[in-house]
Amino acid sequence: MRSLLRQLFYLGRRGRFDAELDKEVEFHIQTRAEELQEAGLTPAAALAQARREFGSGARMREESRAAWQWRWVEDLFADLRYAARSLRRNPGFAITAIACLTLGIGANTTMFSITKEVLFSRPSVRAPETMVHMEIGGNSHAPIREFRFLRDSHFFEALAGENEEQEVNWRHAGATERLHGVRVSDNFFAVTGIPVALGRPIQAGEETAAVLSHDLWERRMGADPAVVGGTMVLDGRVYTIAGVLPRDHRTLLGFGFAPDLYLTVPGEGGLLALFARLPDGMTRHVAIEKLRAACAALDRAYPDPDHKWVENIRVSAVAGVARVRGDEKVMVVAAFFGVLMVVVGLVLGIACANVASLLLARASSRSQELAIRLSIGAGRGRLVRQLLAESLLLALAGMAGGLGVNVALTAFLSRIRLPLPLPFQFLIEPDWTLLAYAGAVALGTCLVAGLLPAIQSVRSALQAALSRHEPRSRTRLRNALVAGQLAVSTVLLCAGLLFLRNLMQSYRMSPGFDVAQTMWSQMRVVPEAYKEPAKLRALAEAGLERVRGLPGVESAALARVVPLNINLRMGVSVRTDVSGRPVHIQYNLNYVTPDYFRTMGIPLVRGREFLAADRAGAPAVVIVNETVARALFGQTDPIGHYIRFDWGPSQVVGVARNSKYFTLGEESAMAIYEPYSRMSEHRADVQFLIRSKGRPEGLTAAVNAALGRLDPTAALETKPMSQALVFALLPSRFGGAVLGSMGLLGLGLASIGLYGVLLYSVSRRTREIGVRVAIGASPRNVLWLVLRHSFGLVGVGLAIGIALGVLAVKPLALFLIPEVNASGAGNFLVVGASMCAIALLATLSPVVRALRVDPVAALRQE
Amino acid sequence: MSRTDALQGSLDLLVLKILSRRGPLHGYAIMTAIEEISSDVLRVEEGSLYPALHRMEETGLVRAKWVEKESGRRARSYELTAQGRKQLESEEARWVAVTGAVQRVLRLA
């Protein structure tokens, strides 16, 4: 240990050490010279003899120094300096290699950052390891009364509740806007320890307080610190703005969920999800037992014959790996990101192969130098280490560039608000884990890209220098690298092309209803003002009348569900009057007014739309889609027949053409429509669907004005249907964008590699080409010769790649819409053709150059 | 005949012994001491002396410092450490054992 310290100490004072050693040697020589002088020699002769006796100082100095050196660190620095010099002398090579690595490492680390943020984000609470999420009675949320019982019984040190799916209407400056909020119990901030940037958190006892998100404060309040302590009108009530959250706030829900504000729970109604802080050392098992006891007490206090809170209890972690492992839905997302990581890993692999073949090519030009060093005694391991130092330098430069790409990309991504019904925003910040990961990737890259070429070059250096001929093993390695690169990029290109086609198809694809001329206007009223359903119904009908009266509106209707955004699924057993057998069906349910099908452009293949007469109290009627008609009635015309549900029979009055109800990828789903007026759900929102005569954008203002006048406290959002479908298209858009760009990136990298290799191999054959031309070969022969070699390479790579590609795209079919055939031959043909085209381009330049070579010069060239 | 062969890698042992008997010395003095005491049978190459001294300093067997000589020049003087003393004991014992064994073989073989 002490010698280690001494060695470290030495590293710092190397210059001084050399000077001191010199002085020591000088003293020795002087003393000997004095002795010789006393023996009778002249001073000059004595000095000369003393020096002669001492001998060559170089070896002695080196050995003395060696006693102190930390050998391999010194060597490493020397190697790095040498490598830097030689890279500076070959800027083209260096830039190409560093560019490849930058792209590969950049893509890889960016995907790592995104994955880490989406799956493993740490909520901004104090000590998230001690917080748990509790579900009782099989429900995700518990009513307030039960929450208060559990909290006050102090089974747990601290219990807080929150409900994240809340919307509120914010009235300000004469306009009403819909905000997404999280309703929390008054002890929520105290229990979780969520920090605020301005003002203070919501405190115990407060009934109307709110804490704003940083984004809302910046965007809509101009980042004015004076709003803290002021008020805002939410759902008709006045709330105090207690504080503003910091910019890097992350919710307990995670996944980038970014609500606009936190606010208190209103009065008695409502549900809360339970979060508890466990005391130090309490494991989840103990917590579950305590919860069980607590729920048993709860059941005793509020007995309910149908439902017991003590059943189906779950306690899950709130952050980190434990949270991912505990939830199946999260595992699916995790699997998706796993696929993406593999894809970028492949891209990085291609970049490595590129750099490896570049290094191999370069090593050939240094074979003479290596041979000389080997012959004067350098160890093979030492030379390999030196070559590795070069790839280490490249890898470090690539890492720096890659991190730059990462930071730029993630900063850009963090600014985007995803177009989902709930507000999501990535908050990706670089931290030490990113650096560690990038370092590991860079090191791995250095080894993968550099080790094999280094070993190869050294092994064949002597042989190469002697025979001027590239050893076959190295050629084989390089060819293998290029073929491998081509194979991997072929696979990537297949997947990428597939997703791009999917993307284009889904743009062109009709979801079964009209997207060009329809609009969707979503109105949300203040729930407290509309406690009776009749009031809301009256409002909705008045709105419908007004909208229908607008010029430019062809028709309008109301619907409970707007397709491709949310859905209502029912799974029931029904009987028909045609066959008494019970059939279990799962269908999408929607409540619609008359004119719905006309407005949406969904043709009715049989029967009629709903009429005003089909309301509550009248005989029950339904409209079914073709799939249901076929399933329940076969070839018979269902019109006039009855479907017997659990709650009574309904007569079928119409059959609608199939369309898409929840995702674009579904096929022949079932759907049943019921009249809007029969809807018994107590809701606070109304969805208006409008068909315009011309372009829908022109009507937005008019619709907003007409509906806005009905109730100024209601929030209104109107948009053309094409914009509303963004959420439905999101997965395929995201997949298409990522995989498509990865495919192109991989192709680009492979092209660079292919170009470099072909260029180099042709230049090595210049002499041979010169000989051939001299003895009479025509340019066409030479061309054919070279093309044959490169196409042989490309052929092998393509064959392997397409074989792998066929296997690889099968699991991807899950993510595609049915109209796109994953295993279609067309896809592979396109990929093969483009690879051949690139190979042709990559070969032509070196060949043309080779042909222009003067045969005499080629013969003389060595 | 090459006189240096006689040293047989026992340079370290000799240096340690000299330093233990004669106190702190600089490199030249150590060299002349060895040659003197062995009546010139053993001659130390400067090229091996200084590396050996530095090696021993690095491992902690000797301690070095610059001293002012009367002539006004500065010399690097080496001194035995406690660890060096222990090493000397064991090395000496080993040497005696080995040479004793070699002598026995030569006599009785």
Side-chain angles (χ1 to χ4, degrees):
Chain A
M1 181 61 207
R2 224 180 302 173
S3 72
L4 200 74
L5 284 172
R6 269 194 285 267
Q7 283 175 335
L8 276 172
F9 193 49
Y10 163 77
L11 265 180
R13 4 178 328 254
R14 232 189 88 171
R16 253 185 47 191
F17 174 85
D18 286 347
E20 287 191 356
L21 187 60
D22 283 344
K23 277 197 227 130
E24 200 174 354
V25 166
E26 207 39 51
F27 175 82
H28 182 115
I29 294 179
Q30 294 280 359
T31 321
R32 177 74 180 131
E34 272 164 28
E35 244 178 51
L36 289 171
Q37 271 186 340
E38 276 164 31
L41 288 162
T42 63
L47 201 56
Q49 173 150 351
R51 279 201 210 282
R52 250 199 323 270
E53 277 176 11
F54 198 86
S56 140
R59 181 114 192 234
M60 183 221 68
R61 278 185 176 75
E62 225 181 78
E63 283 189 21
S64 301
R65 236 182 271 143
W68 288 98
Q69 278 172 345
W70 204 356
R71 208 53 198 278
W72 67 269
V73 169
E74 292 261 332
D75 288 347
L76 181 65
F77 280 127
D79 287 341
L80 283 177
R81 270 199 300 271
Y82 186 82
R85 273 205 306 272
S86 72
L87 282 181
R88 231 200 323 253
R89 260 182 280 131
N90 290 289
F93 160 78
I95 291 180
T96 314
I98 294 177
C100 288
L101 288 176
T102 299
L103 289 174
I105 297 182
N108 211 306
T109 50
T110 306
M111 193 51 62
F112 171 80
S113 291
I114 297 178
T115 307
K116 192 170 76 80
E117 176 59 27
V118 171
L119 290 179
F120 299 111
S121 69
R122 198 171 178 282
S124 307
V125 304
R126 184 171 39 108
E129 323 72 53
T130 56
M131 286 217 71
V132 289
H133 171 53
M134 300 197 285
E135 293 167 54
I136 54 176
N139 290 356
S140 60
H141 294 69
I144 287 207
R145 183 189 63 176
E146 276 75 351
F147 162 74
R148 292 223 175 96
F149 179 89
L150 286 174
R151 183 189 60 184
D152 298 334
S153 60
H154 291 293
F155 272 94
F156 289 95
E157 188 180 300
L159 185 71
E162 58 104 41
N163 191 333
E164 63 274 349
E165 291 165 26
Q166 297 298 295
E167 296 172 347
V168 282
N169 282 355
W170 176 35
R171 186 106 203 283
H172 67 110
T176 310
E177 195 179 321
R178 188 168 57 115
L179 297 177
H180 294 274
V182 178
R183 289 214 185 255
V184 297
S185 56
D186 55 6
N187 63 346
F188 183 75
F189 279 86
V191 168
T192 55
I194 293 179
V196 291
L198 280 183
R200 58 168 181 80
I202 296 175
Q203 283 160 354
E206 285 193 287
E207 292 222 338
T208 50
V211 172
L212 309 177
S213 72
H214 195 95
D215 190 59
L216 180 70
W217 178 63
E218 253 186 0
R219 253 186 323 125
R220 311 293 284 123
M221 300 189 170
D224 179 14
V227 303
V228 175
T231 58
M232 58 194 303
V233 178
L234 297 170
D235 268 0
R237 294 173 81 173
V238 175
Y239 282 76
T240 321
I241 300 176
V244 177
L245 292 166
R247 194 192 294 271
D248 61 354
H249 172 76
R250 288 189 176 86
T251 57
L252 278 171
L253 182 67
F255 301 113
F257 178 53
D260 292 316
L261 71 168
Y262 284 80
L263 62 164
T264 47
V265 181
E268 291 308 309
L271 302 168
L272 290 174
L274 305 170
F275 288 88
R277 186 174 289 288
L278 302 179
D280 279 329
M282 188 189 281
T283 63
R284 263 194 288 141
H285 288 289
V286 176
I288 291 182
E289 287 315 308
K290 286 196 95 174
L291 188 58
R292 213 186 294 278
C295 291
L298 183 62
D299 283 330
R300 277 194 299 274
Y302 300 110
D304 180 355
D306 290 326
H307 181 243
K308 294 251 169 290
W309 292 109
V310 78
E311 292 166 4
N312 289 323
I313 305 183
R314 222 162 75 127
V315 171
S316 43
V318 141
V321 184
R323 178 167 73 126
V324 175
R325 261 192 291 151
D327 193 345
E328 298 89 46
K329 281 177 284 185
V330 180
M331 296 284 269
V332 170
V333 177
F336 176 64
F337 275 95
V339 168
L340 286 181
M341 286 297 280
V342 168
V343 166
V344 288
L346 285 179
V347 171
L348 183 60
I350 296 181
C352 285
N354 254 351
V355 175
S357 43
L358 282 173
L359 283 172
L360 266 184
R362 229 169 79 79
S364 312
S365 51
R366 300 167 67 183
S367 56
Q368 206 175 20
E369 170 209 335
L370 288 176
I372 292 178
R373 294 178 92 191
L374 274 175
S375 57
I376 58 172
R380 285 222 198 113
R382 183 76 186 79
L383 282 184
V384 169
R385 261 164 44 208
Q386 192 204 310
L387 291 175
L388 264 186
E390 234 180 69
S391 38
L392 182 65
L393 204 58
L394 287 174
L396 285 176
M399 174 174 127
L403 279 176
V405 166
N406 176 312
V407 168
L409 267 181
T410 54
F412 170 67
L413 281 175
S414 294
R415 254 186 276 274
I416 302 179
R417 251 178 114 82
L418 294 171
L420 297 168
L422 287 177
F424 280 87
Q425 189 163 17
F426 289 135
L427 197 66
I428 307 174
E429 282 162 352
D431 64 355
W432 69 267
T433 55
L434 173 67
L435 203 61
Y437 179 75
V441 166
L443 211 59
T445 307
C446 157
L447 286 175
V448 166
L451 195 59
L452 214 50
I455 295 179
Q456 267 289 4
S457 335
V458 171
R459 198 183 298 172
S460 47
L462 272 174
Q463 181 191 355
L466 289 177
S467 65
R468 299 285 155 86
H469 203 9
E470 199 180 48
R472 229 174 304 157
S473 55
R474 194 187 305 164
T475 319
R476 260 204 297 265
L477 177 65
R478 219 210 335 257
N479 288 342
L481 276 176
V482 175
Q485 268 183 294
L486 281 174
V488 173
S489 7
T490 307
V491 173
L492 273 185
L493 203 58
C494 286
L497 197 64
L498 207 58
F499 269 82
L500 278 175
R501 273 181 56 210
N502 190 38
L503 191 61
M504 292 190 310
Q505 272 283 32
S506 55
Y507 268 114
R508 250 182 276 141
M509 194 178 61
S510 168
F513 52 87
D514 182 75
V515 177
Q517 283 176 289
T518 42
M519 290 179 71
W520 172 24
S521 187
Q522 193 176 15
M523 178 187 264
R524 187 187 171 275
V525 297
V526 174
E528 284 77 32
Y530 289 82
K531 289 238 162 68
E532 305 128 37
K535 193 169 172 201
L536 189 62
R537 238 195 323 262
L539 180 79
E541 272 163 35
L544 209 53
E545 277 312 306
R546 289 217 188 163
V547 170
R548 280 183 180 143
L550 287 174
V553 168
E554 195 173 307
S555 66
L558 300 173
R560 162 71 175 84
V561 165
V562 175
L564 295 184
N565 271 275
I566 35 172
N567 78 332
L568 278 179
R569 294 209 99 214
M570 305 282 283
V572 291
S573 241
V574 298
R575 268 182 268 258
T576 65
D577 58 351
V578 164
S579 93
R581 264 182 313 111
V583 182
H584 184 84
I585 52 172
Q586 273 209 321
Y587 61 92
N588 295 289
L589 173 63
N590 202 353
Y591 293 94
V592 301
T593 58
D595 267 357
Y596 171 79
F597 296 95
R598 181 169 147 223
T599 306
M600 295 292 275
I602 302 176
L604 284 167
V605 288
R606 304 201 65 81
R608 60 168 178 81
E609 294 228 30
F610 290 130
L611 302 169
D614 297 320
R615 58 172 175 276
V621 292
V622 290
I623 296 178
V624 301
N625 76 345
E626 291 171 308
T627 317
V628 173
R630 223 184 347 259
L632 293 182
F633 296 97
Q635 299 298 334
T636 329
D637 180 4
I639 307 293
H641 288 287
Y642 286 83
I643 303 180
R644 287 185 224 284
F645 295 94
D646 281 340
W647 50 86
S650 299
Q651 188 179 42
V652 178
V653 297
V655 178
R657 171 86 24 100
N658 277 349
S659 57
K660 308 281 181 183
Y661 305 102
F662 187 45
T663 66
L664 285 172
E666 65 188 27
E667 244 184 306
S668 305
M670 292 190 177
I672 296 184
Y673 302 86
E674 294 195 29
Y676 194 79
S677 43
R678 295 187 75 92
M679 183 170 71
S680 53
E681 240 181 301
H682 187 62
R683 300 208 45 89
D685 54 273
V686 184
Q687 325 288 343
F688 291 87
L689 294 163
I690 302 148
R691 185 182 185 80
S692 67
K693 290 196 183 128
R695 286 176 55 77
E697 287 81 1
L699 279 182
T700 316
V703 167
N704 275 333
L707 292 176
R709 246 173 290 151
L710 287 173
D711 180 357
T713 66
L716 206 55
E717 246 180 75
T718 309
K719 45 184 179 240
M721 192 60 81
S722 50
Q723 260 178 46
L725 288 189
V726 167
F727 171 46
L729 290 174
L730 195 65
S732 59
R733 270 189 201 173
F734 184 60
V738 172
L739 285 172
S741 46
M742 286 300 132
L744 286 175
L745 191 62
L747 183 65
L749 287 174
S751 312
I752 297 177
L754 186 63
Y755 182 82
V757 155
L758 291 176
L759 183 72
Y760 183 74
S761 68
V762 168
S763 66
R764 293 291 288 184
R765 299 175 78 174
T766 314
R767 187 157 176 256
E768 175 196 342
I769 293 177
V771 169
R772 284 177 191 264
V773 169
I775 58 174
S778 69
R780 229 182 38 184
N781 289 354
V782 173
L783 198 67
W784 176 238
L785 182 72
V786 176
L787 278 179
R788 208 178 45 191
H789 165 72
S790 49
F791 271 93
L793 212 56
V794 171
V796 170
L798 255 185
I800 301 176
I802 292 197
L804 285 177
V806 168
L807 288 173
V809 296
K810 279 208 208 309
L812 290 179
L814 287 171
F815 297 102
L816 303 174
I817 56 182
E819 281 79 352
V820 175
N821 183 4
S823 319
N827 211 30
F828 298 107
L829 277 176
V830 171
V831 171
S834 30
M835 293 300 246
C836 285
I838 291 179
L840 190 64
L841 256 113
T843 324
L844 275 182
S845 166
V847 162
V848 164
R849 199 180 305 182
L851 281 175
R852 264 199 236 127
V853 166
D854 174 19
V856 177
L859 283 170
R860 258 195 249 125
Q861 184 219 42
E862 286 304 50
Chain B
M1 154 169 123
S2 168
R3 294 205 215 106
T4 51
D5 287 339
L7 263 180
Q8 295 276 19
S10 48
L11 178 59
D12 284 17
L13 174 61
L14 296 177
V15 168
L16 287 174
K17 190 68 181 186
I18 299 240
L19 285 179
S20 82
R21 281 298 170 74
R22 302 205 174 180
L25 294 173
H26 55 78
Y28 188 78
I30 297 176
M31 191 178 90
T32 46
I34 293 179
E35 288 171 5
E36 236 183 75
I37 301 176
S38 70
S39 312
D40 261 359
V41 172
L42 303 173
R43 196 181 172 283
V44 185
E45 286 285 336
E46 294 84 343
S48 20
L49 175 65
Y50 283 100
L53 281 172
H54 281 277
R55 228 182 359 256
M56 285 190 283
E57 188 190 346
E58 200 277 321
T59 17
L61 299 176
V62 301
R63 199 178 10 243
K65 62 177 190 284
W66 288 95
V67 295
E68 280 278 326
K69 304 240 70 142
E70 329 76 34
S71 48
R73 285 203 297 260
R74 289 170 72 231
R76 201 150 192 262
S77 158
Y78 294 87
E79 182 183 29
L80 199 60
T81 61
Q83 188 186 350
R85 225 171 278 279
K86 270 202 294 268
Q87 178 82 349
L88 172 60
E89 274 171 32
S90 63
E91 278 294 310
E92 203 169 350
R94 195 183 58 81
W95 174 265
V96 165
V98 168
T99 46
V102 170
Q103 268 191 310
R104 258 202 313 283
V105 172
L106 288 177
R107 207 166 1 108
L108 305 174

